Amino acid sequence: MANGNAQQKLSGTDVVKARKGLMITPDLCIACRGCQTACKQWNKLPGDATTNSGTYENPPALTAHLYNQIHFIEKPKDVGIDWLFVRRACMHCGEAGCMDICPAPGALFRTDEGAVAFNKEKCIGCKLCVAACPFDVPRYDSDNKISKCTLCSDRISNGLSTACAKGCPTGAIRFGSRDPLISAASAAGYTVYGEKDLEGLGVMFALKGDYKEYNLPQPTYHAGIALWNSVIRPLSVIGLGAVAAGALIHYLTIGPKDVEPDETAKKGGE
Amino acid sequence: MVKMIQKTTAFERIVHLLLALSCLALLLTGLGFLYQQELGWLNTIFGGVHIARGIHNWGGIVFIVSLIFSLGTWVPECLKWTSDDSKWLGMLGGYLSREKDKEIPPQGKINAGQKLLGIVVFISGVIISISGLILWLSVPSALWVLIHNVCALLFAVFVPVHIYLATAANPGTFRIMTRGDVPLYWAKKKHPKWVKEIGAG
Ligand code: HEM
Ligand code: SF4
Ligand code: SF4
Ligand code: SF4
């Protein structure tokens, strides 16, 4: 079932040969933001001017030039506070709403490693992918073109690890084939976030507590797009086919309605 | 000489032409976007997806303007719904057989099917215009995408039927769009109530 659906959708992972991914372990993160820097360096992204908003979190959200951001959660406890550091970036969803809604062929595409990558030349800047993303990921550069993490497609297709994983000194970001990452995290006693959701996220989290404590959303495919895929899209094909075939058959069998001049003239014209 | 009577004014014909051209351009580019895997080639014909987006956005403006100017002409006609119209729809205008031609209930300036088209075009036209502007000018919610697409499908089904009925299926009708006049004998057969109303009979 899941496979059948995936084939219908643009975002299907059936083209993927060996799905690669990241396992994020917030417990190991020390918020050094080496990943943010390594990502900027590899992807040649300029810095953003930020303002002090009274937190260590900086910048406070993803931008067109920040594909990967460490989110700071402060939890008050009896003495002092507990910190949780959660990496935010594209999750490379197996069932990717952004790809399914995108109207421009090739603007978003699935790589052999299962990443959701983009091609700015083909993007028309419609921002529909923003509407479809459950993780609030896609951003726009000054040309109105999509900008987001590509899972370092250009590195991983050449056998390298992602820049963020390489830049991480503690192993909080681990890159590898998806299945071994999952087994390792489970063996270490973590609950894996994103193993099955949305046909498997490319970026998963190894968590000790409830995902809500980490401000992670329930991964959900947009209901409107699901309704479109499952019901309206097939109906529309039937409807359009019926119109075309109906008109042709009508013309060839019953034929056009001609009006003969004399016919009505006889009947009561003046 | 066949006696002719005028069915549309020059203004109405210009407005209808703009409506028709913009609507077709919107439909073709829109279907190219919506079914980018299967119909993306439509937008290649329009000169690539970037040009297609421009055509779709600015064509939308032409569509909205011509829709507004169409309202005054056709809405009052569409609202004149009588039992003859219900009967006409019930037998699908007699299009399904040639036997029943004599039983077709007499129609006004436009027939019940045309009224139905008008109603669908105006209601979904307003909704598709509003949702389209939202999609264009904001970072939209996916719900607007759904609304926009459902209205587009209504157009995609009704417009080809309309085109077929206004051309191949009813010889002589296309002239209403291009020249505006029809032979009196034709009008008496197709729109007898209207002929009576304007006292042309
Ligand atoms: C390009 C192909 C088209 C052709 C050949 C065509 C032809 C015609 C003709 C001949 C009429 C006059 C009918 C009469 O007075 O008996 C008409 C009316 C009308 N057309 Fe079109 N049309 C076309 C496209 C469109 C499109 C794309 C739309 C919608 C956006 C549209 C909307 C209307 C409406 C609302 C009327 C008013 C009366 C009615 O409902 O038939 N037309 N059309
Ligand atoms: S996280 Fe958002 S942008 Fe990334 S693949 Fe999923 S839907 Fe697309
Ligand atoms: S903004 Fe670009 S990538 Fe996003 S849906 Fe539109 S064309 Fe696709
Ligand atoms: S995978 Fe690459 S592009 Fe994505 S956040 Fe890490 S370094 Fe940046």
Side-chain angles (χ1 to χ4, degrees):
Chain A
M1 251 279 315
N3 264 338
N5 273 345
Q7 272 175 351
Q8 274 247 313
K9 275 179 260 160
L10 264 181
S11 66
T13 48
D14 35 329
V15 294
V16 177
K17 296 190 180 83
R19 198 166 174 202
K20 297 286 202 305
L22 295 176
M23 182 64 76
I24 317 295
T25 313
D27 282 5
L28 301 180
C29 179
I30 54 170
C32 69
R33 287 172 286 206
C35 53
Q36 287 185 197
T37 324
C39 175
K40 275 193 186 277
Q41 207 162 34
W42 176 255
N43 291 296
K44 302 195 181 63
L45 299 166
D48 292 298
T50 54
T51 51
N52 189 335
S53 57
T55 126
Y56 290 105
E57 189 173 4
N58 184 40
L62 296 176
T63 73
H65 306 131
L66 186 71
Y67 292 172
N68 157 39
Q69 184 244 356
I70 299 302
H71 172 50
F72 285 45
I73 301 170
E74 295 176 18
K75 293 212 164 220
K77 57 179 184 185
D78 296 345
V79 183
I81 50 171
D82 247 348
W83 292 95
L84 290 179
F85 305 120
V86 185
R87 176 180 174 276
R88 282 171 170 165
C90 174
M91 307 292 258
H92 301 280
C93 313
E95 192 183 33
C98 59
M99 286 185 71
D100 292 333
I101 208 167
C102 176
L108 287 165
F109 60 94
R110 176 86 58 192
T111 69
D112 286 347
E113 296 79 26
V116 177
F118 60 84
N119 179 343
K120 285 198 195 226
E121 308 257 287
K122 297 191 170 165
C123 169
I124 59 172
C126 65
K127 304 191 170 82
L128 297 190
C129 48
V130 178
C133 175
F135 298 100
D136 183 30
V137 167
R139 294 292 189 272
Y140 289 85
D141 64 17
S142 49
D143 293 334
N144 254 338
K145 306 276 186 179
I146 187 177
S147 187
K148 72 171 191 67
C149 160
T150 61
L151 199 64
C152 284
S153 308
D154 47 350
R155 292 173 60 92
I156 66 177
S157 60
N158 290 307
L160 297 172
S161 96
T162 66
C164 53
K166 188 151 183 273
C168 177
T170 68
I173 304 179
R174 274 193 210 284
F175 170 79
S177 293
R178 213 174 156 267
D179 294 338
L181 285 176
I182 296 168
S183 342
S186 311
Y190 290 104
T191 314
V192 176
Y193 171 94
E195 181 183 352
K196 299 255 160 63
D197 311 274
L198 301 176
E199 289 167 21
L201 301 180
V203 176
M204 297 157 293
F205 281 82
L207 302 178
K208 278 274 150 70
D210 186 48
Y211 67 85
K212 292 194 187 92
E213 286 172 32
Y214 295 84
N215 287 358
L216 288 166
Q218 163 83 52
T220 38
Y221 195 75
H222 196 285
I225 309 173
L227 180 70
W228 177 265
N229 290 334
S230 58
V231 181
I232 307 176
R233 193 179 215 278
L235 273 183
S236 73
V237 175
I238 298 172
L240 292 178
V243 164
L248 193 64
I249 292 171
H250 179 263
Y251 192 79
L252 296 178
T253 57
I254 299 165
K257 279 203 185 291
D258 294 299
V259 179
E260 301 299 335
D262 40 349
E263 182 191 329
T264 37
K266 268 189 286 171
K267 255 179 50 188
E270 284 167 18
Chain B
M1 259 301 288
V2 186
K3 191 176 175 215
M4 304 294 280
I5 55 173
Q6 206 66 23
K7 194 155 189 265
T8 52
T9 64
F11 174 77
E12 288 166 350
R13 291 196 294 281
I14 292 169
V15 167
H16 179 270
L17 189 69
L18 289 176
L19 188 71
L21 291 179
S22 59
C23 182
L24 290 179
L26 289 166
L27 267 177
L28 293 176
T29 50
L31 289 175
F33 291 137
L34 191 50
Y35 302 109
Q36 56 132 299
Q37 249 177 324
E38 299 85 356
L39 300 177
W41 52 269
L42 281 172
N43 284 334
T44 313
I45 295 175
F46 278 99
V49 75
H50 299 281
I51 294 175
R53 187 190 186 205
I55 294 175
H56 197 81
N57 290 166
W58 294 104
I61 299 298
V62 177
F63 176 79
I64 292 172
V65 171
S66 41
L67 187 73
I68 292 171
F69 283 119
S70 313
L71 292 173
T73 310
W74 298 109
V75 169
E77 285 302 325
C78 293
L79 294 180
K80 291 180 195 160
W81 195 273
T82 67
S83 58
D84 283 335
D85 291 313
S86 307
K87 258 184 251 158
W88 190 99
L89 264 197
M91 60 186 291
L92 293 174
Y95 280 109
L96 296 190
S97 100
R98 320 193 76 156
E99 313 307 314
K100 296 197 181 135
D101 278 9
K102 300 270 159 355
E103 301 161 31
I104 296 173
Q107 297 293 297
K109 183 168 186 183
I110 55 176
N111 67 41
Q114 293 173 312
K115 288 176 186 168
L116 182 68
L117 172 81
I119 293 165
V120 170
V121 165
F122 295 132
I123 293 179
S124 61
V126 168
I127 301 175
I128 208 170
S129 300
I130 293 171
S131 56
L133 287 173
I134 291 174
L135 294 186
W136 185 10
L137 302 174
S138 71
V139 179
S141 133
L143 201 60
W144 287 114
V145 181
L146 184 69
I147 292 171
H148 194 71
N149 292 349
V150 168
C151 290
L153 287 181
L154 281 178
F155 275 94
V157 168
F158 272 79
V159 165
V161 174
H162 168 61
I163 295 175
Y164 173 59
L165 292 175
T167 54
N170 289 295
T173 311
F174 185 58
R175 194 182 164 92
I176 305 167
M177 178 180 162
T178 53
R179 306 289 302 279
D181 55 352
V182 290
L184 180 59
Y185 69 81
W186 185 95
K188 277 183 171 169
K189 177 92 192 286
K190 296 269 185 183
H191 304 277
K193 282 169 147 180
W194 171 62
V195 174
K196 228 177 254 162
E197 203 179 292
I198 59 171

